[in-house]
Amino acid sequence: MESIKIHNFGPIKDVDINLSKLMVFIGPQGSGKSAIAKLLTILSDVLWRANVCEKEDPIDEFKDMGIDKYFNSDTYIEYHGREHVNIVYQSGNFDISIDGRSSEETNNYFKILAGLSASKSIGLDHPMTDLQLDKAINENYNYLRANLRFACYIPAERNLAGAVSSSLASLVLSKIPLPNTLMEYMSLFERAKNHFSTYDAPFLGVRYNKNKGADCISVLENNEKYLPLEDCSSGIQSALPMLMVTDYACEDKCFDTYVVEEPEQNLFPSNQREVLNKLISLSLNENCQYMIINTHSPYLLSALNVNMLAAKLSNTGVNDTEVDNIVPAQFRIKSTDVSAFSLGDEPYCKSIMDSKTGLISVNYLDVISDAISSDFNKLYQIYLKSLQK
């Protein structure tokens, strides 16, 4: 079974979890959600693995992700991934192996895999010698890095992609120091815009259009009125590019893992649920191996429970039409395909799935709402006393 163990890496204390089709991490700021997501993104990077096997500096990718300072003297990482790939970090070194293969066979495997991906990414359809392959990879490293990952990373800073969507070239030429993760995401957004001449987001009430070379948004009920994407609401700037990128990447089979930071960002609760539905639908696509979601929103967890409960009901012989009216089949996900973890408490990383129901623990969700209700009740009692006076 695919799994990851992490000890003392930046804010991460101890994590020992099995990977599931849909994984959700919730916790306060600085609890390590992003660190886990970025670590999983790097460890599934084909080119990074090839470079480690070639004895290149493995920390460069961690610098790009902004987590290179997270290593400590006692940091330990153990990752067991697809195709029986094993990655271990300890005592300052990474070791990569594949079950049943020698060290030389492992090195050759990743070099060939990176080479095949490189050939496809830069449009080469003829065999290359080792020298030509090394040269092609080196000359196109910055481009390939975003295309040789198994994981698509959707950063929390993605609002900027919508706000400056028409000025990407100017940003690049001006050499403004933007995070590499954001630049890679913006590059994917550019490709998604070229892929979709129009793109509908019905729950947001908008349609994306390529209008005379400009990025324009129109209200679905009135396509004659256009608004530049950078002038739209923050929720549309955050959600629309994300949806276009994930749909494009899935259709084009660019990645098989999606890491999404704060999908609820700037969205009204009902729209948070719609975005979750889209991500669940993507996770069920045959081209998607994993969907990893980091969130601060208990509402998102409650919505996920609804979708899992709908999946349970569809196997009990109840009237499926009734269930379908609430949660359509394409948004239902089996609880066995879901895992959810809370970070930052004691223990540091704990499952919040209820072993009896197979759903996210109602007790966990109630604790959050109870804290707010308790404060309200206390203040309300003070208010009543003030009226009596």
Side-chain angles (χ1 to χ4, degrees):
M1 181 171 284
E2 288 134 36
S3 62
I4 189 167
K5 294 181 182 179
I6 312 168
H7 172 73
N8 201 13
F9 179 73
I12 304 172
K13 296 179 181 178
D14 281 291
V15 168
D16 186 355
I17 59 175
N18 293 325
L19 306 184
S20 60
K21 193 163 187 62
L22 175 64
M23 289 179 283
V24 181
F25 296 94
I26 189 169
Q29 287 85 354
S31 59
K33 301 185 301 297
S34 292
I36 295 174
K38 290 176 179 179
L39 193 54
L40 285 168
T41 303
I42 293 170
L43 296 178
S44 63
D45 184 344
V46 177
L47 189 55
W48 178 82
R49 292 176 181 178
N51 283 343
V52 172
C53 290
E54 289 291 305
K55 307 303 180 185
E56 300 289 341
D57 185 1
I59 306 301
D60 281 347
E61 196 83 347
F62 289 81
K63 291 177 182 176
D64 290 342
M65 287 283 189
I67 56 174
D68 56 304
K69 302 294 195 299
Y70 285 10
F71 290 95
N72 297 289
S73 59
D74 61 341
T75 293
Y76 179 80
I77 301 168
E78 182 179 336
Y79 171 81
H80 300 284
R82 288 151 291 183
E83 307 296 330
H84 304 287
V85 174
N86 308 300
I87 302 174
V88 174
Y89 174 89
Q90 61 182 340
S91 304
N93 294 303
F94 278 98
D95 179 69
I96 299 181
S97 63
I98 301 176
D99 292 343
R101 300 196 185 201
S102 66
S103 176
E104 183 178 356
E105 288 173 330
T106 298
N107 291 0
N108 288 336
Y109 170 80
F110 284 119
K111 186 170 183 178
I112 290 170
L113 189 58
L116 291 173
S117 299
S119 298
K120 180 181 178 182
S121 295
I122 58 181
L124 298 177
D125 55 4
H126 54 81
M128 290 184 287
T129 65
D130 284 350
L131 185 61
Q132 289 172 324
L133 176 58
D134 288 339
K135 182 180 179 182
I137 291 176
N138 289 332
E139 289 178 350
N140 297 275
Y141 181 81
N142 287 332
Y143 173 77
L144 295 173
R145 179 177 54 200
N147 293 278
L148 296 184
R149 285 204 180 106
F150 286 146
C152 174
Y153 181 73
I154 310 292
E157 309 95 326
R158 62 182 175 274
N159 269 47
L160 190 59
V164 299
S165 61
S166 60
S167 309
L168 179 58
S170 298
L171 287 174
V172 173
L173 291 174
S174 301
K175 297 183 179 179
I176 295 175
L178 297 172
N180 283 328
T181 52
L182 180 58
M183 291 299 293
E184 289 177 5
Y185 173 71
M186 292 172 72
S187 174
L188 281 172
F189 183 38
E190 288 297 307
R191 288 158 60 184
K193 289 190 294 183
N194 291 329
H195 180 75
F196 297 112
S197 56
T198 63
Y199 183 92
D200 287 352
F203 66 91
L204 293 173
V206 297
R207 168 179 290 143
Y208 168 82
N209 293 273
K210 265 290 192 193
N211 185 36
K212 297 180 180 179
D215 300 328
C216 290
I217 304 301
S218 61
V219 178
L220 285 176
E221 295 178 356
N222 186 353
N223 285 317
E224 296 179 0
K225 292 186 177 180
Y226 293 94
L227 188 69
L229 180 56
E230 55 264 35
D231 292 340
C232 291
S233 70
S234 58
I236 292 174
Q237 289 183 18
S238 174
L240 186 64
M242 176 183 68
L243 296 173
M244 291 176 65
V245 164
T246 52
D247 275 353
Y248 156 71
C250 185
E251 285 185 24
D252 208 44
K253 301 180 182 179
C254 300
F255 310 96
D256 66 5
T257 295
Y258 294 82
V259 180
V260 184
E261 299 271 16
E262 303 173 29
E264 73 275 9
Q265 200 175 80
N266 305 117
L267 292 174
F268 191 71
S270 60
N271 285 341
Q272 291 183 32
R273 183 179 181 184
E274 294 291 349
V275 166
L276 176 67
N277 283 343
K278 290 284 290 184
L279 295 179
I280 288 174
S281 179
L282 174 60
S283 75
L284 297 174
N285 189 288
E286 62 181 1
N287 297 328
C288 181
Q289 183 80 13
Y290 296 123
M291 172 67 65
I292 302 167
I293 295 174
N294 288 341
T295 183
H296 295 124
S297 173
Y299 183 85
L300 215 63
L301 299 184
S302 298
L304 178 56
N305 259 356
V306 172
N307 293 51
M308 288 191 289
L309 183 56
K312 284 180 177 293
L313 287 172
S314 63
N315 295 321
T316 60
V318 301
N319 188 331
D320 204 50
T321 303
E322 290 183 83
V323 179
D324 210 44
N325 288 335
I326 302 171
V327 180
Q330 67 267 31
F331 302 139
R332 303 176 203 167
I333 185 166
K334 297 177 182 177
S335 56
T336 51
D337 288 334
V338 177
S339 58
F341 301 93
S342 170
L343 302 182
D345 298 321
E346 290 297 336
Y348 165 75
C349 177
K350 64 179 180 182
S351 171
I352 54 175
M353 300 292 290
D354 188 314
S355 58
K356 294 181 180 179
T357 64
L359 304 176
I360 294 170
S361 171
V362 174
N363 289 337
Y364 176 81
L365 297 174
D366 285 347
V367 164
I368 298 171
S369 58
D370 284 350
I372 297 172
S373 297
S374 175
D375 286 345
F376 177 85
N377 288 334
K378 290 175 184 176
L379 290 170
Y380 193 67
Q381 292 302 318
I382 296 171
Y383 172 69
L384 290 177
K385 290 178 181 178
S386 71
L387 292 179
Q388 292 172 356
K389 290 181 181 180

